[in-house]
Amino acid sequence: MKEHIIIKGLGAISPLGHDSASTAAAYTSGVPAFETILHQGILTPIAALRAEAEQKLQELVEANHGYKHLDRSVLMAVYAARQAAMQAGWLQENAPVDDDLAVNIGSSRGATGLFEQYFKAFQQEKLSSSASPTTTLGNLSSWVAHAVNAGGGQISHSITCSTALMAIANGVAWLKAGMARRFLAGGTEAPLTDFTIAQMKAVGIYSRLADHPYPCQPYAAEKHNTFTLGEGAAVFALEKTHHPATGAAIVEAVGLGFEKLVSKTGISAEGINFQKSMRQALTQLPEHDRKIDLIITHTPGTRAGDTAELAAIQAVFGENAPAITTNKWLIGHTLGASGALSLQYALQVLQQQQYTSIPYPNLLSQKHPQSIKRIMVNAAGFGGNAASVVVSLV
C-alpha cells in the first residue's frame, strides 16, 4: 500500500501576515509589503513584519520570559512551529514530551541580530555569558522542540537559500525511514540588520528601486538587479499515512540538485542545479502522470539568478512548460525561509485555485492554468545547490 507524506499543519509569520487568514488576504489583495529605511545613508527597500505580527511576537515573549534573550529568527520559528503543531493537533499544554516528534528548522544566516549585538559588546569588552548559547545554529531546533514538547531528533542546518526545502526533504526521509512518526520542518530568517543588508549590497545585487511600489521584480523585462531582503518563518507539520483524508496536502516529491561553482553565487547560466533538482523530483511522480500545473520559482530578482532558472525550466519542460509565478514581488527574498514561504503560498494557490498576476512588465507569458492540481516549488542558494518540492491536494 502506498505511503503518503501529508502536511497536517502549517504555521507562518511574514510581512504578509501572522496567520492563514491575514496572509491569504494579503496574497489576494496583491499589495506588496515593502517599506524604505535609511541604510548607510541610502534609502533602501526591505520587507519587515507589520505591526500586528510584531505584536504577536511580543505576546510570545511575554508569555515565556525565557524567550527575551533569544534572537528574532528563533522567536519567529517558535511562533510558526506552535501554529503548525496546534493545527496538526499535536500541541497540548502540560502533555508529556513526545519522543516520536522530530524537528528540523533551518536558517541561512541564523542569529544575525544577536551576532551583531554581541560583537559590538565584544569590542567594548562587555560580552555577556549568553553570547555563545544564544547564537549557535542549534538554537533554532532546540527552542522549537521545547515549545512543542518534541523529544525526537532535533536538527538545525544551513544550506543557504535552499535551507527550508532541505528541511522538508529531511522530514520526508525521516518519516519514510521510520525514524519519526511526526516531523516539524521549516525555515526562519531575520536578516534585516545593518551588516546583513550591507553584505547583500556588497554582492552588487540589491535593489535601488527604493521609491518603486515593487522594488523586488523577478522576471523583470528590464535587465537590472532588484534583490530585496525580507524576513519571516514558516513551519510544516509532516506525517506519514496510507489513507490521506480528502483535501489533504501531500508532498509528492523532493528533488535535490548541485553544480560546481562557476561564480561567487554558484549558479551557471543554464541553471544546472535547478535542472537536476526538477528532474529528480519529476522521476518520483507516477510515470503516466508527471504534469506540473504551476511552478513557484526561486527567482530572487537578480539578472543571473532569474535568467538561469527560467533557462532551466525551458530545458526540463520545453514547449510544455507550466505556468510560472513567485511571491518575492510581494515579500522580497527571505533567504533560508524563502522556500518555506513559497510552499505556504503553493498550498494557498491549490486551495483557492488562483494567484495574482505580476503587475509590472516581465518576461512571463502570463498564462494561467484552468485547474491547478500540482505545484512545484523551487529554491536555490549560494554554493551551487537547489531543491524542488512537488505538492498536491488529495
Side-chain angles (χ1 to χ4, degrees), residues 171-189:
V172 169
W174 275 54
L175 291 170
K176 288 188 173 182
M179 295 173 65
R181 291 180 57 199
R182 290 170 288 278
F183 204 102
L184 279 175
T188 183
E189 206 75 52

Side-chain angles (χ1 to χ4, degrees), residues 155-169:
I155 308 168
S156 297
H157 78 283
S158 173
I159 187 65
T160 59
C161 301
S162 295
T163 293
L165 294 193
M166 180 62 76
I168 299 293

Side-chain angles (χ1 to χ4, degrees), residues 180-367:
R181 291 180 57 199
R182 290 170 288 278
F183 204 102
L184 279 175
T188 183
E189 206 75 52
L192 304 182
T193 65
D194 286 345
F195 183 51
T196 308
I197 295 172
Q199 289 180 76
M200 296 299 103
K201 287 184 175 180
V203 180
I205 58 175
Y206 213 96
S207 177
R208 298 180 180 179
L209 304 177
D211 58 349
H212 197 287
Y214 308 107
C216 187
Q217 297 186 5
Y219 334 114
E222 296 184 20
K223 302 294 185 180
H224 50 241
N225 288 318
T226 60
F227 178 102
T228 306
L229 277 175
E231 64 179 347
V235 177
F236 301 85
L238 306 177
E239 215 172 59
K240 181 175 69 174
T241 181
H242 294 289
H243 304 287
T246 301
I250 294 179
V251 179
E252 286 196 86
V254 178
L256 305 175
F258 184 80
E259 61 177 300
K260 292 183 178 180
L261 291 176
V262 295
S263 69
K264 59 189 174 185
T265 57
I267 188 168
S268 61
E270 301 83 9
I272 300 300
N273 53 352
F274 279 121
Q275 292 189 41
K276 289 181 176 180
S277 67
M278 289 189 288
R279 286 193 170 109
Q280 187 180 85
L282 290 172
T283 62
Q284 297 166 28
L285 301 177
E287 191 171 352
H288 65 281
D289 180 18
R290 292 178 175 171
K291 182 184 178 184
I292 302 294
D293 300 302
L294 177 69
I295 299 177
I296 297 180
T297 57
H298 179 70
T299 47
T302 63
R303 290 192 301 264
D306 292 8
T307 303
E309 186 171 3
L310 293 178
I313 291 171
Q314 181 64 33
V316 172
F317 293 95
E319 295 181 357
N320 298 317
I324 295 171
T325 194
T326 181
N327 59 359
K328 289 185 176 65
W329 62 279
L330 292 167
I331 61 172
H333 192 1
T334 54
L335 304 182
S338 62
L341 290 169
S342 291
L343 184 55
Q344 176 201 25
Y345 186 34
L347 297 183
Q348 177 178 316
V349 172
L350 285 169
Q351 292 163 356
Q352 301 295 324
Q353 288 294 296
Q354 61 181 1
Y355 56 94
T356 305
S357 296
I358 296 171
Y360 51 83
N362 61 80
L363 303 175
L364 301 184
S365 65
Q366 297 294 347
K367 67 178 181 180

Side-chain angles (χ1 to χ4, degrees), residues 73-74 77-78 102-111 133-146 152-160 163-164 166-167 170 174 183-188 336:
S73 59
V74 181
V78 168
V103 174
N104 185 177
I105 307 296
S107 176
S108 176
R109 302 288 165 147
T134 57
T135 57
T136 58
L137 189 58
N139 243 353
L140 297 172
S141 60
S142 60
W143 278 102
V144 165
H146 286 301
Q154 297 172 22
I155 308 168
S156 297
H157 78 283
S158 173
I159 187 65
T160 59
T163 293
M166 180 62 76
N170 285 341
W174 275 54
F183 204 102
L184 279 175
T188 183

